[in-house]
Each structure stands twice: as C-alpha cells, then as structure tokens.
Amino acid sequence: MHFSIPDTQELGSPTYTVYNIHINGSYHCFLRYKQLHSLNEQMRRHCSSLSLPPFPPKRFLPLTNGQLETRRSGLEQYLQIIGQDARIARLPFLQQFFQRAQLDTALAEGNVASDSEEKQLEVEVYTNPNGAQLLINCNVQQNASLLLKSVCRELKLPDELMKLFCLYLMRKKRESDELVLVRRLMDFESPYITRLHAQPCELLLRTCYWDSSWDAKLYGNKVALNLLYNQTVADVSREWVVICSPGLGRQLSHLQMQGRCLEYMNVVRDLPSYGCLQFEAANVDYPDPKTVALVSIGNKELSLRTARGAKIYETKFRVTRMRSWRVSVTHNALESRHEPSQLQLAFEYLIAKQTLRWITISSDQAMLMSVCLQAMVDQLLHGGGGKPAPSSDDEQDAGATSSASTPSSVSSTSTSTCASTSYSTTTTASMTTPPVKFLAQDLTPKSKQQRLTTSRTFGAVFFRNDGEAGAHVANEAFEGIGDDDL
C-alpha cells in the first residue's frame, strides 16, 4: 500500500485538524491524529513480534505551523513503513480500519447518506466480446472481495474459480471508446465510494493471473471459458493482442464465426502479446528523453513501442533484469486533493554486463504498472506458477498467521507498490511473501518545495534472506548477464 499525506485541512467548530490520506496515489479518506494514534495502539497489540516504526508523540498545547508539518511528515512516514510490510498490510483489522475510514469520510462529506445504504453498481463482464453490464446490489460497506463474490455468483461461476478473477476500475474514452485500466480494486476500499471519487470510471471483471497456463483451469467450466474467450476476443479487437499477419487474422475471424472457442484460444495463446495488459501512451526517457511510447506488461516483460519515422520499434525489458523500481507520487498543494497526482515509475535495468540504467515512465497508470511488475515477480519467486489474489477468507487466514511468520517486509503496490505489491499471494507459514521494501525520499529540490506539499518515492528493493539481515540487497528474481548473453 502506497501511503502519502500531502496536506491537512481544518474542520468543525471548534476547529480540529484532519490529515488527508492518499493510498496508491488517490485520495482515500481524512483522519484525525487521535484516530491514527488508536490505530498505532492496535498495531502494537496485534504485531507484538514485529518491529514497528516510532509514532509521532502527543502534544498538550496547540501546534504551531512548524509542529503541524513535523507531525504530518511523521505520520506519513509511519504509514509508509507499515504499508511496506505485507505481514502488516494484509492484516484484516488494518484493511477494515481504512475501509471504515473511507466510509466515515464519505458520510462526513455527504457522498453517502448512511452506512447501511444499498446501491446498485454496474459491472462490465465479458459475457460477449463487446462486454455486458451486470447490475449488482451492494452495500456501501462491502469491500472488493465481497463485491467480486456477488458478481461471480450472479454469473454462476464456481467459488473455486473466483480467485482467478478480479475487479478493475476502468474508463472509456468518449472519442474512441478505447478502454483504459485505472487501477485494481483492493480490500481496504469500498468499490462504490472509490468509484465516486474516480468518476467517470466503471467497474470491469477480468482475469487476474499472469501465467497463461492457468487458462486450463477455466477450460473445464462453461461460464469461465466463455468469460476468458470473450475477454480474449475483445483484447484482439482493441489490439491489445497483436496479430502478426493478415492470414492469422483471417484464421481467427473464421474460428470466431464458427464459435470454436478452444481452437481460437489455442491459436491466440501462442502470440507474444497474449496475456499482456496495455497502457496508455506515456512519456519515457528511453531511448531518448521525452519519447512517447505505448507500454504493455506481461509474459515476464515490460514492453515499450515507439514510433521512429514510419517504423514502429518495440523494446522489451525482462523483469528478471530489473534490479529495483520505484513509484514517485507528487501532489500539488495549490490543487484540490481530488485532482490526480503526478505519477512516475522508474526501474533500474541491467542493460549490459555490469551496466545498470534507470528508465523512467511518466504515466497516470504508474501505480498499476508497479502492481503488475510485482505480481510477475511473485510468480517467479513461487516457482513460476504464481498464485491468484487471495479471497476474503484467505485474508482472514493470512491475518491469523502473519504475526508468527517472519518473511522480510513486502510492500503493497500498494505496489506496491504494496497494495500493489502483490495481492496475488497469501501470507502463510508454509509460503512466505516475496521480500520487498519501499524506500521514501524527497524528489523535489528545496528551492521548489513551496508549491509541492509532498513528493515521495516508493522504491521496490528486494532483500535476500542471507546471513546478515539487510547486508545483501538484490531482486530475488534478478538475473545477471553473463558473457554468453552479450
């Protein structure tokens, strides 16, 4: 979970200060100091076996502006550190705390009338290649897993296959009807409230795994196969899956017209871009500064497609040669907290033997990119098969064992990214989460910080569990380049 507290606001009469909490680059809720202090006390009780960061102390006199800024910064660092450790970030009580905080904020701001309010949400599902809108009744208190369960049961999808799907926030461009994935919904949020903040976004059901061999698990169920097949046809139609030749395009069209789903899937699965998520055009500094590129992630790679003259060039970066990566979030204090943050994903890549280079992607989808990278790393660390996102029941099991397990800290995507990071693995005694730590640092020069309330970098650095804790820093999925590779 990526936490930041870009600013504060004064509420009530008499006035009191609240801290605007952003998670994964988006405004989530506001909280008072005493609420965060209560959270810290719960953390001390639930995580007695873990080393927790210091919490900003209480003060009995009104705070000066300087003291308020010190407290804001201290609270931000505290949340960032606990969000970096998946053993903590996946605890049910922590997820429920921030879900409730989001609901209380929505109630205070008048976005929700009651915490028992029932709403209808439209979820786009691939029951046909164009997608169909499914109306689902939900309570504003429901999290992403509970809504996903309702969607799957409405579709008559077996519970054991539910883990292979997830819900995304997405939007469609008016001029082209092009689909843009915004983020994956997590269990610390109410899909209904999150969608209110992210208008005009919609909800979309998609598969959530990265290893295409998991397709076989869906083939045995008619509903699941239909969802996968129509999702694939839609991806081919919007050119997320690139057809290599006109002849192959005609073959796929023929199979589609005849309704031969399995044969269609077997042909498409052999294409290099199958199983990849496509992102909007972004500014990158590779091969040259201010290059515009189309980004895709999948098949253990991040790919950049750039135009040079009349030709399109594709550069692929293997996840196993990314030594580390970071996500930068910049909030402008002069803009509303509901305005989008400026996001960047930067990764350190082994270009050649003993040659590392930082490559930066500026994109509103940087958080989602980080989540995708981490999910692929998770699969590599767990033997290549990967594991789908845990259900709410799995989260309860994870929370029950997390205090006893001792893997190195892992961040979420919140990519990580640790909301990010994974959400595709469970924390159990038999399987530890991939060790990831997110580091925070100021990006903005001091001379320019008057306009930017906060600018933080969340870097994903993988730690091996070698002899000396913390002495060896490396991506466990990171592979060096030998002489044979050059």
Side-chain angles (χ1 to χ4, degrees):
M1 298 167 72
H2 285 311
F3 284 101
S4 61
I5 306 178
D7 54 9
T8 63
Q9 55 178 316
E10 301 297 318
L11 297 178
S13 178
T15 61
Y16 54 87
T17 301
V18 295
Y19 299 84
N20 295 321
I21 311 295
H22 289 238
I23 304 181
N24 296 348
S26 300
Y27 175 67
H28 184 76
C29 64
F30 61 68
L31 289 167
R32 298 181 67 173
Y33 171 83
K34 67 180 183 180
Q35 292 173 289
L36 290 167
H37 186 274
S38 175
L39 171 65
N40 175 62
E41 294 299 311
Q42 292 183 64
M43 299 286 297
R44 304 287 168 185
R45 291 194 298 270
H46 284 82
C47 308
S48 57
S49 62
L50 302 178
S51 177
L52 295 175
F55 189 82
K58 287 184 177 181
R59 293 183 180 272
F60 297 100
L61 297 175
L63 301 182
T64 65
N65 289 339
Q67 290 171 333
L68 182 62
E69 171 57 23
T70 299
R71 174 176 283 183
R72 182 207 62 78
S73 177
L75 291 172
E76 181 178 61
Q77 291 178 23
Y78 173 84
L79 290 177
Q80 287 172 353
I81 292 172
I82 66 172
Q84 291 159 13
D85 192 331
R87 295 168 296 174
I88 299 174
R90 290 202 185 102
L91 286 172
F93 87 87
L94 185 66
Q95 302 256 341
Q96 292 161 11
F97 175 88
F98 283 103
Q99 185 188 352
R100 183 69 213 188
Q102 184 190 41
L103 177 57
D104 289 342
T105 299
L107 288 166
E109 294 177 338
N111 295 323
V112 174
S114 165
D115 60 5
S116 60
E117 191 172 353
E118 297 283 339
K119 293 288 185 180
Q120 278 195 327
L121 277 179
E122 285 188 350
V123 180
E124 184 162 319
V125 295
Y126 286 112
T127 52
N128 64 69
N130 296 321
Q133 296 298 323
L134 190 66
L135 275 178
I136 300 294
N137 291 319
C138 74
N139 187 286
V140 294
Q141 295 191 50
Q142 284 186 325
N143 63 13
S145 286
L146 291 176
L147 180 62
L148 175 63
K149 185 176 292 187
S150 298
V151 172
C152 291
R153 288 180 176 173
E154 184 71 21
L155 293 170
K156 295 181 172 53
L157 187 70
D159 288 349
E160 63 270 18
L161 299 180
M162 187 184 77
K163 297 179 182 181
L164 302 178
F165 293 85
C166 65
L167 293 171
Y168 283 93
L169 270 181
M170 63 90 172
R171 57 183 169 84
K172 293 183 178 179
K173 294 184 177 179
R174 293 181 180 178
E175 61 275 11
S176 61
D177 205 37
E178 179 184 349
L179 184 148
V180 178
L181 295 179
V182 177
R183 54 183 289 198
R184 179 176 166 178
L185 291 174
M186 304 296 184
D187 276 349
F188 59 78
E189 60 192 335
S190 158
Y192 175 76
I193 298 174
T194 296
R195 183 176 173 273
L196 285 179
H197 290 161
Q199 292 286 12
C201 286
E202 302 173 34
L203 302 182
L204 174 70
L205 180 74
R206 280 187 67 91
T207 52
C208 66
Y209 52 88
W210 291 93
D211 189 339
S212 60
S213 66
W214 284 71
D215 286 352
K217 295 180 178 293
L218 303 181
Y219 285 178
N221 179 269
K222 185 177 180 180
V223 174
L225 174 60
N226 186 54
L227 290 171
L228 176 63
Y229 167 71
N230 286 312
Q231 174 184 296
T232 303
V233 172
D235 288 352
V236 170
S237 175
R238 63 174 62 101
E239 298 181 354
W240 284 19
V241 178
V242 179
I243 304 303
C244 304
S245 67
L248 182 60
R250 288 191 294 270
Q251 179 187 0
L252 290 175
S253 296
H254 180 68
L255 292 173
Q256 183 182 349
M257 290 177 62
Q258 293 188 328
R260 295 155 67 180
C261 302
L262 283 175
E263 293 177 58
Y264 184 99
M265 291 298 306
N266 290 333
V267 172
V268 174
R269 285 183 61 203
D270 291 333
L271 297 175
S273 53
Y274 175 74
C276 295
L277 284 188
Q278 301 292 329
F279 299 85
E280 285 192 288
N283 290 318
V284 302
D285 60 1
Y286 184 90
D288 303 305
K290 299 182 179 180
T291 298
V292 177
L294 290 175
V295 182
S296 67
I297 294 178
N299 298 321
K300 305 174 188 176
E301 296 172 333
L302 182 150
S303 154
L304 299 179
R305 278 184 283 169
T306 56
R308 302 178 207 171
K311 294 185 178 180
I312 302 294
Y313 292 84
E314 184 173 29
T315 307
K316 295 186 176 182
F317 300 92
R318 289 165 49 184
V319 171
T320 50
R321 290 186 180 170
M322 294 180 184
R323 182 179 178 272
S324 62
W325 70 81
R326 62 177 180 237
V327 177
S328 306
V329 187
T330 303
H331 304 280
N332 193 325
L334 298 183
E335 296 177 355
S336 165
R337 67 182 183 279
H338 298 293
E339 289 296 318
S341 307
Q342 299 173 30
L343 300 173
Q344 285 187 336
L345 171 73
F347 58 90
E348 189 180 20
Y349 194 75
L350 191 61
I351 294 286
K353 189 175 182 180
Q354 298 182 342
T355 303
L356 289 160
R357 172 175 172 176
W358 281 98
I359 296 169
T360 302
I361 302 172
S362 299
S363 169
D364 292 339
Q365 297 171 293
M367 286 289 184
L368 181 57
M369 293 178 190
S370 178
V371 171
C372 295
L373 291 176
Q374 187 58 59
M376 285 190 289
V377 169
D378 291 345
Q379 293 187 352
L380 290 171
L381 294 181
H382 294 145
K387 191 163 185 172
S391 67
S392 56
D393 294 337
D394 295 330
E395 292 288 359
Q396 296 290 338
D397 295 338
T401 60
S402 58
S403 296
S405 61
T406 57
S408 299
S409 63
V410 58
S411 146
S412 78
T413 190
S414 105
T415 116
S416 355
T417 199
C418 314
S420 78
T421 324
S422 103
Y423 287 105
S424 60
T425 58
T426 54
T427 307
T428 64
S430 62
M431 179 184 296
T432 58
T433 53
V436 183
K437 185 177 181 181
F438 286 84
L439 309 176
Q441 68 182 56
D442 280 333
L443 289 179
T444 312
K446 291 184 178 180
S447 61
K448 297 183 179 179
Q449 284 186 350
Q450 62 271 19
R451 285 180 57 86
L452 298 178
T453 302
T454 233
S455 179
R456 301 284 183 222
T457 294
F458 304 88
V461 182
F462 297 78
F463 290 83
R464 293 188 196 275
N465 293 323
D466 290 342
E468 297 179 6
H472 187 93
V473 181
N475 177 351
E476 289 207 11
F478 177 72
E479 298 175 353
I481 298 179
D483 293 336
D484 294 338
D485 296 312
L486 301 177

